[in-house]
Amino acid sequence: MLLRRADQLSRRGKDLAVVMSGCSPGQNQIYDWRVVNPTNTLYVAGGMDSKYSSIGRTWTKVVSGSRYEEVASSGHALLTEAPIEVANIIGGFLLTTPVPRKVVFDPSYYNGDKEMFDDLERTQALRTQSEQEFVSPESDSLDSSSCSEDLILSESKPSILVIPSVLDMESFSIDMVSNHGKTKGVFGIGWGTTSRKRENEERRGFIIQLSSSVDNHVGVGEVAPLPGLHTETTVEAGDQLQILRDFFNSENAYDLPALDANKALALDGAITSYVDEIANESNIGAEYLLNSVRTGLEMALIALSSQVCQLPLHQAISANIPGIISSPNAVFLPINGLITADTSSVVGVDGISLKKKVSPVDQPPSLRRPYNLPGVQHMSYPSLKVKVGSKEVKKDAERLFQSFSESGSGMVRADANRMWNEKSAISFVSALDQLEHNILDHLEFIEEPLEKQKDGDGALAAQVKALEKLYCFCRIPYALDESLADLVAYHQREFSAIASALREALRNANGCTAFVLKPALLGFELSVQLARFATAEGIGAVFSSSFDSGIGLSYTAFIAAASDSLTTPTISKSKQERKLYSHGLGTFQMLSEDTLSPPFSAYVSMEGKLDISSLERELYGLSIDELRDSSSPWAGATISSPDEVIQGIAPSTFTSSSSVRGRQVNLKASLPLPFSDKKACDRFTDLPQQSRWSPWLRSVEYVAAEDGRTETEWTLDILGKPFRWRAVSTISSNPRGIIWESVSGLRNEGVAQFQKTSDDSCVLHVDVSFMTPRAITYLFRGGSKFESFLREKLLKWSLEMFRDVVKADLALERGDVELGDALFGAVEGRASAIEVTLSFANGTIAKN
């Protein structure tokens, strides 16, 4: 048997190596078994294969009714050693498999490991509709009375599982600005008296990405602790992220169960449990997981879940959160403006129409710093939030009145951050009333007007009691913010205990009109749970950012829009009707740049309303590679101007050079072309034709053209995963050529020049620099052949394919059909070779 096997293997060559590299169980992960229905699965192993026959026998103990067949006198290579026996076993299984029945797990086998037991039970929900309707060949019909309890039916929706397996992260740093961008730094951020003296000059954090193990789905999140709000630092958050990244890269991650995507999107406890499990399995511990890191993981898991459900984020959330009957296709979310403690007037944005997407390269200064342009127009927000709470309450009242009068907003709210006693709060309301009596009719509420009353048990009840006393005196509603965060911390995020304390404290309250919810601090799932609680109590839910970048702002906007769609239950006479308020997402104006491109501001109208529908379409499937990094290392290409005349002797054959620095790659190449520089340049700069000689490009489309520069949108396809970016380009005439630079998405730039060597020939010179997508770096992990593959295959073949495509076009234009067809055949052959190389790169290159 061994001699026969050795002889067969010696003749089969690389094809077996490629197949086994992609299919060997060693390449898969333990929890891959959890995405199959055990009772409808056949497991076959050779009797002489001790490892896999042992697995098969163990499998029969795990699930009653599972099917295991063992082929005697055979080892690991079953298809080679016993093809007839294996075929008969599979054929018999397919012909006799009965109707799927309910799987009964034996919990005793797990020695009390309830989590593993529960996880295996969840796999039953993976049966498809076709499996549920399957009828055994032995019976023409089913007895519904006998099957109704046995068939596996989800409580509401079929389970769709997602398994995160890789975590990536990149840091960002963005300047904070105030006073229309004229001043670097923002004062008054944070809670309590410390915020009076605090100045934040930059927003630092990380963008993280979770990738799933069984497909190409990715989910991004933001981890950005805010000084004055979070107790942790950016360094501490980065340390935990590094631990998590190492964990996902280790075999220990194999023990993570699959996450039910629909349950995750319901934001009703499943995400919290799963993040706790990640924290515990990585040895961080759920109780020690930093709030900012938890929030980032929640974002990434929510995005992953929406992708496997094939729905954009807002639609996916709205379809699963309990209490939402329907959500309109076009959603415009009202947001409020913000006046910080050091801002004398409303922070505005430029006069560009923001009802449509704006390319960040058409007006790079305006989108990076949209505040210091002359003659800017201010947004007219539905509501304006003014930070108050200074020791001089009359000046606070004057600031609020002046800001409201100048803003054009319909309503105003104040945020005191618990910095007043009762006397100061009453004085503030009195001062406002003296300035303009009608202003109180436009004052929505005051956030946390009173200093903290008590710590520990009963703190919330004491705070609400004091706030109710103030409300009875001045009749100005209040909103809870810091009190909610304290309550969450005290009860260690246990929602049932939090809800019980809230219910008791608010039992006889009449002045609480809103909960201010900060997902960056509380977490997204808990924020939604609190919003649902508020809705049931007739209290509004205001979602507020923590000066997040566009990533964090977008997720907050999606759950805010979903919260506004919650159905309001019948309210008792003692409770007020829930009000819908604008949400605290206007902080994007205080960041000089954004992690999104186009930025978050591009989706906000001049009336202060966010286009949720357009934003969710842009973020669907977004990967970390497509974000506009704010601090990722980027040396840039050593690219000369296209108008600079090429010096030196033209090469007679293909030449190339390259350098790799991390994920950044610089490539240079030259190739002689047997046609004129004009023909070459005209064909090459017809950018939508690029996919003809670059098979990994799905499409290139023109978007806009201004000031001699052309903007295009490019889509790259790697293993079925699309990567998009926009680029601007300029065509030169002496020498002929084109220079380009990406303005969103994948970072790249370069120049192509055509050196004239005769009337009928030229040399193409290409100099390009780009940040490699992680999907490619994963394929070539080990990296020894990556650089040569890019230079000798990807670049060389692309340029040669360009040469042959143009030669074929010219031949057909002359009427030489035979030559044209032959050249196109050569191009197709190279394209297929590149696609095969990318498909099997992990087996054929990275391991050689």
Side-chain angles (χ1 to χ4, degrees):
M1 181 183 71
L2 291 176
L3 291 174
R4 184 174 74 242
R5 182 180 177 189
D7 180 63
Q8 291 172 331
L9 291 176
S10 67
R11 293 196 303 268
R12 296 192 63 179
K14 281 190 175 181
D15 62 319
L16 263 181
V18 170
V19 170
M20 294 188 71
S21 173
C23 302
S24 169
Q27 293 289 323
N28 298 324
Q29 297 176 339
I30 294 171
Y31 44 63
D32 288 352
W33 282 103
R34 299 176 189 178
V35 296
V36 300
N37 174 13
T39 60
N40 206 23
T41 301
L42 171 66
Y43 187 101
V44 185
M48 297 176 65
D49 187 342
S50 59
K51 177 179 178 180
Y52 290 98
S53 61
S54 175
I55 292 174
R57 288 189 289 270
T58 302
W59 186 246
T60 61
K61 297 177 183 178
V62 174
V63 183
S64 61
S66 60
R67 184 83 173 268
Y68 168 62
E69 295 288 346
E70 192 169 290
V71 181
S73 302
S74 293
H76 187 68
L78 276 175
L79 295 180
T80 299
E81 299 169 17
I84 302 301
E85 292 88 335
V86 172
N88 288 335
I89 291 171
I90 295 175
F93 171 76
L94 294 175
L95 291 173
T96 60
T97 302
V99 178
R101 300 286 177 171
K102 186 172 183 177
V103 182
V104 180
F105 295 103
D106 181 4
S108 63
Y109 179 81
Y110 300 99
N111 298 319
D113 189 342
K114 185 178 183 301
E115 291 184 1
M116 183 180 290
F117 173 77
D118 291 343
D119 186 63
L120 283 170
E121 284 225 315
R122 286 196 294 269
T123 63
Q124 298 176 89
L126 288 173
R127 291 178 178 167
T128 61
Q129 187 66 33
S130 61
E131 286 178 317
Q132 294 172 12
E133 296 174 352
F134 178 82
V135 179
S136 171
E138 299 174 0
S139 173
D140 294 333
S141 63
L142 290 175
D143 183 350
S144 60
S145 62
S146 64
C147 292
S148 60
E149 294 183 359
D150 289 343
L151 288 175
I152 310 301
L153 298 174
S154 171
E155 293 179 3
S156 56
K157 298 181 180 180
S159 295
I160 304 174
L161 299 191
V162 59
I163 307 172
S165 61
V166 178
L167 186 144
D168 277 308
M169 63 189 226
E170 286 196 0
S171 63
F172 69 86
S173 177
I174 302 173
D175 287 342
M176 299 187 72
V177 294
S178 55
N179 293 324
H180 309 293
K182 299 174 183 177
T183 305
K184 181 178 179 180
V186 177
F187 280 96
I189 295 177
W191 287 341
T193 56
T194 58
S195 66
R196 291 173 177 167
K197 300 179 181 180
R198 183 180 299 280
E199 180 185 19
N200 288 35
E201 292 191 350
E202 63 178 356
R203 200 68 179 90
R204 297 174 59 226
F206 303 90
I207 301 301
I208 67 170
Q209 173 179 287
L210 281 176
S211 307
S212 61
S213 61
V214 294
D215 48 41
N216 293 316
H217 297 310
V218 297
V220 296
E222 179 174 333
V223 177
L226 178 66
L229 184 67
H230 292 85
T231 57
E232 67 265 24
T233 67
T234 305
V235 173
E236 290 169 338
D239 290 343
Q240 278 201 357
L241 288 174
Q242 185 60 57
I243 293 173
L244 289 169
R245 180 161 64 176
D246 293 343
F247 164 71
F248 277 104
N249 288 336
S250 71
E251 293 183 358
N252 295 330
Y254 295 176
D255 293 330
L256 278 178
L259 174 65
D260 186 319
N262 284 319
K263 290 182 178 179
L265 292 167
L267 296 172
D268 198 26
I271 286 274
T272 297
S273 298
Y274 198 79
V275 171
D276 285 349
E277 188 149 10
I278 291 175
N280 289 330
E281 289 292 333
S282 63
N283 292 324
I284 291 175
E287 67 273 26
Y288 299 110
L289 188 66
L290 300 175
N291 287 334
S292 59
V293 176
R294 176 182 291 275
T295 297
L297 289 172
E298 286 186 350
M299 290 188 222
L301 289 170
I302 291 169
L304 267 179
S305 299
S306 76
Q307 286 187 61
V308 299
C309 292
Q310 300 181 358
L311 286 172
L313 272 163
H314 171 248
Q315 294 180 42
I317 293 169
S318 298
N320 285 277
I321 291 179
I324 296 179
I325 303 301
S326 63
S327 181
N329 292 328
V331 180
F332 295 91
L333 186 75
I335 63 180
N336 64 260
L338 175 64
I339 303 297
T340 58
D342 64 325
T343 308
S344 59
S345 60
V346 184
V347 177
V349 298
D350 57 50
I352 302 172
S353 174
L354 297 179
K355 294 182 180 180
K356 60 181 180 179
K357 298 178 187 177
V358 181
S359 166
V361 175
D362 284 339
Q363 294 104 353
S366 65
L367 285 177
R368 291 197 181 114
R369 290 188 176 273
Y371 321 103
N372 48 6
L373 295 180
V376 295
Q377 299 177 15
H378 301 317
M379 276 188 179
S380 178
Y381 288 102
S383 178
L384 184 68
K385 174 176 173 175
V386 181
K387 286 279 189 177
V388 294
S390 73
K391 295 179 180 179
E392 302 180 70
V393 293
K394 289 185 178 180
K395 288 188 176 181
D396 277 341
E398 291 171 356
R399 284 182 65 254
L400 184 142
F401 178 72
Q402 178 186 357
S403 298
F404 173 67
S405 301
E406 293 176 354
S407 69
S409 299
M411 301 298 290
V412 66
R413 63 187 68 158
D415 184 4
N417 288 126
R418 282 182 171 177
M419 288 197 281
W420 287 330
N421 56 28
E422 183 183 271
K423 181 180 177 181
S424 296
I426 293 174
S427 297
F428 171 77
V429 175
S430 176
L432 268 182
D433 191 40
Q434 292 176 16
L435 286 169
E436 172 61 57
H437 182 72
N438 291 333
I439 186 67
L440 296 182
D441 295 334
H442 297 276
L443 183 61
E444 294 175 309
F445 53 78
I446 304 177
E447 288 183 35
E448 298 281 5
L450 297 180
E451 58 194 1
K452 192 172 185 178
Q453 304 295 305
K454 179 184 176 183
D455 287 312
D457 189 32
L460 179 66
Q463 196 74 21
V464 170
K465 181 179 179 180
L467 290 168
E468 283 294 309
K469 182 181 176 182
L470 177 66
Y471 172 72
C472 289
F473 184 84
C474 61
R475 310 305 295 178
I476 300 298
Y478 61 87
L480 297 179
D481 184 0
E482 290 95 325
S483 297
L484 295 175
D486 287 347
L487 185 67
V488 168
Y490 181 77
H491 289 289
Q492 297 181 322
R493 311 183 63 84
E494 179 58 47
F495 179 68
S496 59
I498 294 168
S500 178
L502 281 168
R503 199 172 289 111
E504 181 63 28
L506 297 171
R507 186 181 304 277
N508 298 312
N510 296 304
C512 182
T513 190
F515 286 179
V516 178
L517 305 170
K518 292 182 169 66
L521 182 67
L522 304 175
F524 281 83
E525 185 166 67
L526 186 53
S527 294
V528 169
Q529 290 174 308
L530 287 168
R532 290 176 58 205
F533 175 91
T535 299
E537 294 292 315
I539 296 172
V542 177
F543 285 84
S544 179
S545 80
S546 301
F547 292 86
D548 313 311
S549 79
I551 295 295
L553 284 170
S554 297
Y555 283 86
T556 302
F558 296 146
I559 63 171
S563 172
D564 284 356
S565 299
L566 286 168
T567 55
T568 304
T570 301
I571 304 297
S572 64
K573 293 182 180 180
S574 62
K575 300 292 183 181
Q576 71 272 20
E577 192 73 22
R578 177 183 78 139
K579 293 182 179 179
L580 294 180
Y581 294 104
S582 56
H583 297 275
L585 305 177
T587 54
F588 66 87
Q589 298 176 323
M590 297 183 179
L591 299 181
S592 61
E593 295 182 271
D594 199 355
T595 53
L596 285 182
S597 182
F600 183 84
S601 61
Y603 303 92
V604 183
S605 72
M606 294 304 294
E607 292 76 32
K609 293 187 177 181
L610 177 67
D611 186 346
I612 291 288
S613 303
S614 296
L615 181 61
E616 70 170 347
R617 286 195 297 270
E618 192 68 24
L619 262 68
Y620 182 69
L622 185 73
S623 73
I624 196 171
D625 286 311
E626 296 171 280
L627 299 177
R628 199 62 176 171
D629 302 326
S630 296
S631 64
S632 297
W634 177 253
T638 55
I639 296 171
S640 59
S641 166
D643 294 323
E644 184 177 315
V645 178
I646 303 171
Q647 303 294 328
I649 301 174
S652 58
T653 60
F654 175 82
T655 61
S656 66
S657 63
S658 61
S659 63
V660 177
R661 179 187 176 189
R663 290 194 301 114
Q664 184 178 339
V665 177
N666 292 87
L667 297 175
K668 293 184 178 182
S670 298
L671 179 71
L673 300 175
F675 34 83
S676 70
D677 58 331
K678 183 180 186 307
K679 290 180 180 178
C681 187
D682 289 346
R683 308 275 174 156
F684 193 88
T685 56
D686 186 2
L687 298 180
Q689 299 294 317
Q690 289 277 334
S691 58
R692 296 180 66 197
W693 50 83
S694 300
W696 50 90
L697 281 175
R698 180 183 295 182
S699 64
V700 182
E701 298 178 355
Y702 287 114
V703 178
E706 290 185 14
D707 301 327
R709 298 191 307 172
T710 299
E711 183 173 341
T712 44
E713 185 171 77
W714 300 63
T715 303
L716 173 72
D717 205 345
I718 301 175
L719 296 179
K721 165 66 181 175
F723 295 86
R724 299 179 182 86
W725 70 91
R726 288 193 176 190
V728 292
S729 56
T730 303
I731 298 175
S732 63
S733 57
N734 184 29
R736 301 182 191 275
I738 183 172
I739 187 170
W740 71 88
E741 178 184 10
S742 67
V743 296
S744 69
L746 288 178
R747 181 169 286 184
N748 66 92
E749 59 186 26
V751 63
Q753 297 173 309
F754 299 89
Q755 180 184 9
K756 182 177 181 179
T757 53
S758 72
D759 290 341
D760 298 313
S761 65
C762 66
V763 175
L764 167 59
H765 301 276
V766 174
D767 186 351
V768 61
S769 182
F770 60 91
M771 194 69 77
T772 313
R774 284 169 175 79
I776 292 183
T777 61
Y778 292 153
L779 289 176
F780 294 92
R781 51 187 177 269
S784 59
K785 298 291 182 74
F786 179 43
E787 189 174 344
S788 63
F789 169 76
L790 291 175
R791 186 178 63 251
E792 302 298 332
K793 292 277 183 72
L794 211 61
L795 182 59
K796 180 182 179 183
W797 286 4
S798 294
L799 299 184
E800 290 177 345
M801 289 164 67
F802 165 71
R803 177 196 63 196
D804 292 345
V805 164
V806 176
K807 286 172 63 178
D809 286 344
L810 295 175
L812 292 176
E813 290 170 7
R814 294 194 307 269
D816 194 340
V817 177
E818 184 176 352
L819 176 59
D821 288 344
L823 289 168
F824 279 130
V827 170
E828 291 175 358
R830 280 199 176 94
S832 299
I834 290 178
E835 290 173 349
V836 170
T837 303
L838 284 175
S839 299
F840 297 109
N842 194 33
T844 61
I845 293 181
K847 293 187 177 181
N848 285 344

